[in-house]
Amino acid sequence: MTETAEAVRAAGRDCPECEDPVTEGGRYVTWCAACDWNVDPEVRDEEAPGRIERLRMRLVREYGEQLLADLTEPVAGGAADAHAPRQESPRGAAGWWAAALATAIHGVTVALLAGGLWLLVAYWGVGGLPVLGGLAIALAVVLRPRFARLPKDDGPRVLLRREDAPRLYALLDEVAGAVGTTGVRAVVVDAHVNASVSTYGLRQHRVLCIGLGLWETLSPQERIALLGHEFGHYAHGDTRHSLLVGGAFQSLGTWRYTLAPGPAHSLTEHFVNLVTAPPRLLVDGVLVVLEHLTLRQSQRAEYLADSTAARTAGAEAAAGLMDRLLVAGSVAGELRREGVAARTRIGGAVRREDPAEGLWERLAAHAASIPEHEYERLRRVAERRGHQVDSTHPPTHLRHRRLTQGTPGAALIVLDAERAAEVDAELAGARRSVARELVRG
């Protein structure tokens, strides 16, 4: 915080820029809501993004604004239907080109494998061709797309099967059904300030990952909004969640890692970096093209998943979820502080017998203590910086704006206190286990 801001906070004076009264920030930033004075005082020394990331960020900003206008326009004059189900648009030329390019990417791996086998079999004993064939096969094995595995139940995370938490799974099935898709095969509980639905294995079974760092800070309806959003990706056919295109991105990532230049301390290492430069640039170019072909559709899927969250849980709960994502950094910092305090015997005059006891309640209390004027400040900072949950999401402030437009409709699913308590009871063991691992570091 700047020196002037400290003086204003201490003396309770008006804004030095516009002379409007300044809200006392307490332990949060003191800023002026009228002119945005001191709204973003933090100076960040962030590492400059690479060229691929810079392109992605530029496209995110462009597409985010365009799609917000496109998705809002059809409901002008009909605000009550702002989050109603929409007829999906056809895949479009970009989608077909993305599928074709993804097929070609996988085809390179298949060609390497087939060519290597042919050289190995047809030219066995003929010079160095079999060796070249073996190298091609090895390269195909390294560059092959990989299916994710189900995370193990190993302490920092807890794996819950359907028989372990029948009420939780019943809720997941209900939300998935309301969204128009199917439920999950497994649930993984960990400490992250995040949540996701992904697939694993050859048969692409779904797994829900519940990060307690986020889950415990949400109200029951916001939890329904979170689940509705995650299942919404599958209901709306997000291209990047598909096996074909998602696998192509994974393969390109492996290729970039394999071809990345290493430290060059000898002539041989310089030569290797020089030889791998052309294919490395080619891979970067292909990745840029695939990003361009899929990012708009992926952002559209995010907006539609937000609409699904609003229809399932109510627009107010979906907008509340967006706000919780804005304070994810603060929540993660509080989790780290709890862990350090437990391991170093600090954080209070009397050390708790079990520092894991009540951890999630303290985290929820921390999130609940964040005042509304801090949320408003963070919304404005998000608009300035283009805050995103990750590099494929539309800017958070645009998502929040869309959720708060129009007249909200009734929620399809209401999680009452009794049912929420039953789900919490099934998660109690996982909550204790994850909390203990967290405080142990």
Side-chain angles (χ1 to χ4, degrees):
M1 187 178 296
T2 64
E3 208 173 289
T4 308
E6 287 286 5
V8 169
R9 175 174 170 178
R13 294 201 303 263
D14 293 338
C15 172
E17 297 291 337
C18 70
E19 299 185 351
D20 268 28
V22 173
T23 302
E24 167 61 38
R27 61 193 179 103
Y28 297 98
V29 174
T30 298
W31 63 287
C32 177
C35 69
D36 279 357
W37 168 80
N38 205 47
V39 70
D40 188 13
E42 185 178 355
V43 178
R44 294 188 176 184
D45 184 18
E46 296 179 342
E47 184 179 351
R51 58 179 178 272
I52 301 295
E53 188 60 28
R54 287 198 301 272
L55 172 71
R56 183 185 290 120
M57 291 168 65
R58 180 174 63 82
L59 292 176
V60 161
R61 288 192 295 269
E62 291 177 1
Y63 291 158
E65 293 282 0
Q66 294 171 5
L67 284 167
L68 179 64
D70 292 345
L71 292 173
T72 303
E73 184 180 357
V75 297
D81 297 322
H83 304 295
R86 298 179 185 274
Q87 182 67 33
E88 286 296 302
S89 62
R91 180 189 289 266
W96 289 113
W97 278 112
L101 182 57
T103 302
I105 291 169
H106 295 307
V108 171
T109 304
V110 173
L112 282 171
L113 179 61
L117 289 172
W118 178 67
L119 289 174
L120 199 61
V121 173
Y123 294 95
W124 183 260
V126 181
L129 290 178
V131 176
L132 186 61
L135 290 175
I137 293 172
L139 188 59
V141 171
V142 170
L143 300 180
R144 76 189 188 282
R146 291 168 172 80
F147 297 108
R149 296 180 179 180
L150 182 65
K152 295 180 179 179
D153 187 349
D154 59 358
R157 63 180 69 89
V158 176
L159 178 63
L160 296 177
R161 296 289 190 179
R162 187 169 289 269
E163 58 271 19
D164 301 322
R167 291 175 179 81
L168 171 63
Y169 273 87
L171 178 62
L172 299 179
D173 291 341
E174 183 179 355
V175 173
V179 167
T181 186
T182 56
V184 297
R185 180 65 67 91
V187 174
V188 174
V189 182
D190 61 25
H192 293 140
V193 190
N194 198 4
S196 63
V197 175
S198 57
T199 57
Y200 67 94
L202 183 62
R203 299 180 65 181
Q204 295 293 280
H205 294 306
R206 293 179 189 173
V207 54
L208 167 68
C209 182
I210 296 177
L212 292 175
L214 176 61
W215 183 264
E216 295 294 331
T217 67
L218 302 178
S219 69
Q221 275 314 107
E222 288 169 350
R223 293 175 181 178
I224 296 297
L226 176 66
L227 297 175
H229 176 91
E230 296 302 333
F231 283 120
H233 281 291
Y234 293 92
H236 295 297
D238 190 346
T239 300
R240 296 197 183 206
H241 281 70
S242 70
L243 183 61
L244 179 65
V245 177
F249 272 110
Q250 183 189 77
S251 292
L252 287 172
T254 304
W255 294 2
R256 290 190 78 206
Y257 177 80
T258 304
L259 296 169
H265 303 297
S266 66
L267 186 61
T268 301
E269 290 169 338
H270 279 290
F271 177 74
V272 170
N273 286 342
L274 183 64
V275 169
T276 57
R280 183 166 62 249
L281 292 174
L282 178 61
V283 169
D284 282 350
V286 173
L287 184 57
V288 166
V289 173
L290 194 59
E291 284 278 359
H292 188 77
L293 291 172
T294 60
L295 188 55
R296 180 181 173 89
Q297 198 280 337
S298 182
Q299 288 208 346
R300 184 177 187 274
E302 286 292 340
Y303 278 130
L304 292 177
D306 287 342
S307 290
T308 301
R311 286 189 295 108
T312 307
E316 183 179 354
L321 173 62
M322 290 297 106
D323 282 339
R324 292 305 189 196
L325 295 177
L326 287 177
V327 299
S330 175
V331 172
E334 185 67 12
L335 275 178
R336 289 192 295 270
R337 191 198 67 78
E338 285 277 355
V340 170
R343 293 189 294 274
T344 58
R345 296 176 179 267
I346 63 174
V350 180
R351 185 174 185 269
R352 299 182 183 91
E353 289 297 324
D354 183 2
E357 190 67 31
L359 171 66
W360 304 116
E361 288 77 8
R362 295 193 296 276
L363 186 70
H366 166 78
S369 70
I370 300 175
E372 174 55 33
H373 66 77
E374 177 65 8
Y375 278 110
E376 177 58 28
R377 186 187 74 83
L378 290 172
R379 293 184 198 112
R380 299 190 190 192
V381 171
E383 185 167 358
R384 289 185 171 205
R385 296 184 179 180
H387 173 275
Q388 303 160 246
V389 174
D390 65 27
S391 59
T392 65
H393 285 60
T396 305
H397 73 279
L398 297 181
R399 298 171 65 191
H400 188 278
R401 184 189 306 170
R402 183 164 185 266
L403 287 169
T404 53
Q405 288 176 341
T407 304
L412 295 177
I413 299 175
V414 176
L415 185 59
D416 58 46
E418 181 181 356
R419 193 176 183 191
E422 292 174 347
V423 172
D424 284 344
E426 291 183 338
L427 290 172
R431 294 168 82 246
R432 285 192 298 271
S433 178
V434 173
R436 285 170 183 161
E437 290 299 324
L438 184 69
V439 299
R440 290 174 187 166

Short mmCIF file of all heavy atoms in Angstrom, two decimals, residues 99-125:
data_model
loop_
_atom_site.label_atom_id
_atom_site.label_comp_id
_atom_site.label_asym_id
_atom_site.label_seq_id
_atom_site.Cartn_x
_atom_site.Cartn_y
_atom_site.Cartn_z
N ALA A 99 -10.67 -30.44 -35.66
CA ALA A 99 -10.73 -31.90 -35.63
C ALA A 99 -9.77 -32.50 -36.66
O ALA A 99 -9.09 -33.51 -36.41
CB ALA A 99 -12.16 -32.37 -35.89
N ALA A 100 -9.72 -31.86 -37.84
CA ALA A 100 -8.82 -32.36 -38.89
C ALA A 100 -7.36 -32.22 -38.48
O ALA A 100 -6.54 -33.13 -38.68
CB ALA A 100 -9.08 -31.60 -40.19
N LEU A 101 -7.03 -31.06 -37.88
CA LEU A 101 -5.65 -30.85 -37.45
C LEU A 101 -5.29 -31.81 -36.32
O LEU A 101 -4.17 -32.36 -36.29
CB LEU A 101 -5.48 -29.40 -36.98
CG LEU A 101 -4.08 -28.98 -36.53
CD1 LEU A 101 -3.05 -29.22 -37.64
CD2 LEU A 101 -4.07 -27.51 -36.11
N ALA A 102 -6.22 -32.05 -35.40
CA ALA A 102 -5.96 -32.99 -34.31
C ALA A 102 -5.74 -34.40 -34.86
O ALA A 102 -4.86 -35.14 -34.39
CB ALA A 102 -7.13 -32.99 -33.33
N THR A 103 -6.52 -34.77 -35.87
CA THR A 103 -6.34 -36.07 -36.50
C THR A 103 -4.97 -36.19 -37.13
O THR A 103 -4.29 -37.23 -37.03
CB THR A 103 -7.44 -36.31 -37.55
OG1 THR A 103 -8.73 -36.21 -36.94
CG2 THR A 103 -7.29 -37.68 -38.21
N ALA A 104 -4.52 -35.10 -37.78
CA ALA A 104 -3.20 -35.10 -38.40
C ALA A 104 -2.09 -35.22 -37.35
O ALA A 104 -1.08 -35.90 -37.57
CB ALA A 104 -3.01 -33.83 -39.22
N ILE A 105 -2.29 -34.56 -36.22
CA ILE A 105 -1.29 -34.63 -35.14
C ILE A 105 -1.15 -36.07 -34.65
O ILE A 105 -0.04 -36.58 -34.49
CB ILE A 105 -1.70 -33.69 -33.99
CG1 ILE A 105 -1.56 -32.23 -34.43
CG2 ILE A 105 -0.85 -33.95 -32.74
CD1 ILE A 105 -2.19 -31.24 -33.48
N HIS A 106 -2.29 -36.71 -34.40
CA HIS A 106 -2.23 -38.11 -33.99
C HIS A 106 -1.69 -38.98 -35.11
O HIS A 106 -1.03 -40.00 -34.86
CB HIS A 106 -3.62 -38.60 -33.58
CG HIS A 106 -4.16 -37.91 -32.36
ND1 HIS A 106 -3.47 -37.85 -31.17
CD2 HIS A 106 -5.33 -37.25 -32.14
CE1 HIS A 106 -4.18 -37.19 -30.27
NE2 HIS A 106 -5.31 -36.81 -30.84
N GLY A 107 -1.95 -38.58 -36.37
CA GLY A 107 -1.45 -39.34 -37.51
C GLY A 107 0.06 -39.36 -37.58
O GLY A 107 0.66 -40.35 -38.04
N VAL A 108 0.72 -38.29 -37.13
CA VAL A 108 2.18 -38.25 -37.12
C VAL A 108 2.72 -39.34 -36.21
O VAL A 108 3.68 -40.05 -36.56
CB VAL A 108 2.68 -36.87 -36.67
CG1 VAL A 108 4.18 -36.89 -36.45
CG2 VAL A 108 2.31 -35.80 -37.69
N THR A 109 2.10 -39.50 -35.06
CA THR A 109 2.53 -40.55 -34.12
C THR A 109 2.33 -41.93 -34.73
O THR A 109 3.20 -42.80 -34.63
CB THR A 109 1.76 -40.43 -32.80
OG1 THR A 109 1.92 -39.11 -32.27
CG2 THR A 109 2.26 -41.44 -31.78
N VAL A 110 1.17 -42.13 -35.36
CA VAL A 110 0.88 -43.41 -36.01
C VAL A 110 1.89 -43.66 -37.14
O VAL A 110 2.39 -44.78 -37.31
CB VAL A 110 -0.55 -43.44 -36.55
CG1 VAL A 110 -0.81 -44.70 -37.36
CG2 VAL A 110 -1.55 -43.35 -35.40
N ALA A 111 2.21 -42.60 -37.91
CA ALA A 111 3.16 -42.75 -39.03
C ALA A 111 4.55 -43.12 -38.52
O ALA A 111 5.25 -43.94 -39.13
CB ALA A 111 3.21 -41.46 -39.83
N LEU A 112 4.96 -42.50 -37.42
CA LEU A 112 6.26 -42.85 -36.84
C LEU A 112 6.31 -44.31 -36.42
O LEU A 112 7.29 -45.03 -36.67
CB LEU A 112 6.55 -41.96 -35.63
CG LEU A 112 7.03 -40.54 -35.90
CD1 LEU A 112 7.05 -39.73 -34.61
CD2 LEU A 112 8.42 -40.56 -36.53
N LEU A 113 5.22 -44.77 -35.79
CA LEU A 113 5.17 -46.16 -35.35
C LEU A 113 5.16 -47.12 -36.53
O LEU A 113 5.94 -48.10 -36.56
CB LEU A 113 3.92 -46.37 -34.49
CG LEU A 113 3.69 -47.78 -33.95
CD1 LEU A 113 4.85 -48.19 -33.03
CD2 LEU A 113 2.38 -47.86 -33.20
N ALA A 114 4.30 -46.83 -37.52
CA ALA A 114 4.21 -47.71 -38.69
C ALA A 114 5.50 -47.71 -39.50
O ALA A 114 5.99 -48.77 -39.93
CB ALA A 114 3.03 -47.27 -39.57
N GLY A 115 6.08 -46.51 -39.70
CA GLY A 115 7.33 -46.42 -40.45
C GLY A 115 8.47 -47.12 -39.72
O GLY A 115 9.30 -47.79 -40.35
N GLY A 116 8.51 -46.98 -38.40
CA GLY A 116 9.55 -47.65 -37.64
C GLY A 116 9.44 -49.16 -37.73
O GLY A 116 10.45 -49.86 -37.89
N LEU A 117 8.22 -49.68 -37.62
CA LEU A 117 8.02 -51.13 -37.74
C LEU A 117 8.41 -51.63 -39.12
O LEU A 117 9.01 -52.71 -39.28
CB LEU A 117 6.56 -51.47 -37.44
CG LEU A 117 6.11 -51.35 -35.98
CD1 LEU A 117 4.61 -51.52 -35.87
CD2 LEU A 117 6.84 -52.38 -35.11
N TRP A 118 8.06 -50.83 -40.14
CA TRP A 118 8.39 -51.24 -41.52
C TRP A 118 9.91 -51.29 -41.71
O TRP A 118 10.44 -52.25 -42.29
CB TRP A 118 7.77 -50.25 -42.48
CG TRP A 118 8.09 -50.54 -43.93
CD1 TRP A 118 7.69 -51.61 -44.68
CD2 TRP A 118 8.92 -49.76 -44.79
NE1 TRP A 118 8.20 -51.54 -45.95
CE2 TRP A 118 8.97 -50.41 -46.04
CE3 TRP A 118 9.61 -48.56 -44.61
CZ2 TRP A 118 9.70 -49.89 -47.12
CZ3 TRP A 118 10.33 -48.04 -45.69
CH2 TRP A 118 10.37 -48.70 -46.92
N LEU A 119 10.63 -50.26 -41.26
CA LEU A 119 12.09 -50.28 -41.39
C LEU A 119 12.71 -51.42 -40.60
O LEU A 119 13.69 -52.04 -41.05
CB LEU A 119 12.66 -48.94 -40.89
CG LEU A 119 12.42 -47.71 -41.77
CD1 LEU A 119 12.91 -46.46 -41.07
CD2 LEU A 119 13.11 -47.88 -43.12
N LEU A 120 12.13 -51.71 -39.44
CA LEU A 120 12.69 -52.76 -38.59
C LEU A 120 12.51 -54.14 -39.20
O LEU A 120 13.42 -54.99 -39.16
CB LEU A 120 12.01 -52.70 -37.22
CG LEU A 120 12.73 -53.38 -36.05
CD1 LEU A 120 14.09 -52.74 -35.81
CD2 LEU A 120 11.88 -53.30 -34.79
N VAL A 121 11.33 -54.35 -39.81
CA VAL A 121 11.02 -55.68 -40.36
C VAL A 121 11.57 -55.85 -41.77
O VAL A 121 12.23 -56.84 -42.10
CB VAL A 121 9.50 -55.92 -40.33
CG1 VAL A 121 9.15 -57.23 -41.05
CG2 VAL A 121 8.98 -55.94 -38.90
N ALA A 122 11.31 -54.86 -42.63
CA ALA A 122 11.68 -55.00 -44.04
C ALA A 122 13.18 -54.90 -44.27
O ALA A 122 13.69 -55.48 -45.25
CB ALA A 122 10.94 -53.94 -44.87
N TYR A 123 13.89 -54.18 -43.43
CA TYR A 123 15.32 -53.97 -43.67
C TYR A 123 16.18 -54.51 -42.54
O TYR A 123 17.25 -53.98 -42.25
CB TYR A 123 15.59 -52.48 -43.87
CG TYR A 123 14.96 -51.92 -45.11
CD1 TYR A 123 13.71 -51.31 -45.05
CD2 TYR A 123 15.60 -52.03 -46.35
CE1 TYR A 123 13.11 -50.81 -46.19
CE2 TYR A 123 15.02 -51.53 -47.49
CZ TYR A 123 13.77 -50.92 -47.42
OH TYR A 123 13.19 -50.42 -48.56
N TRP A 124 15.69 -55.56 -41.91
CA TRP A 124 16.47 -56.17 -40.83
C TRP A 124 17.81 -56.67 -41.36
O TRP A 124 17.88 -57.40 -42.34
CB TRP A 124 15.70 -57.31 -40.21
CG TRP A 124 16.43 -57.94 -39.04
CD1 TRP A 124 17.16 -59.09 -39.05
CD2 TRP A 124 16.50 -57.41 -37.73
NE1 TRP A 124 17.69 -59.33 -37.82
CE2 TRP A 124 17.30 -58.30 -36.97
CE3 TRP A 124 15.99 -56.28 -37.11
CZ2 TRP A 124 17.59 -58.09 -35.63
CZ3 TRP A 124 16.28 -56.07 -35.77
CH2 TRP A 124 17.06 -56.98 -35.05
N GLY A 125 18.89 -56.22 -40.74
CA GLY A 125 20.22 -56.64 -41.15
C GLY A 125 20.80 -55.82 -42.27
O GLY A 125 21.92 -56.10 -42.73
#
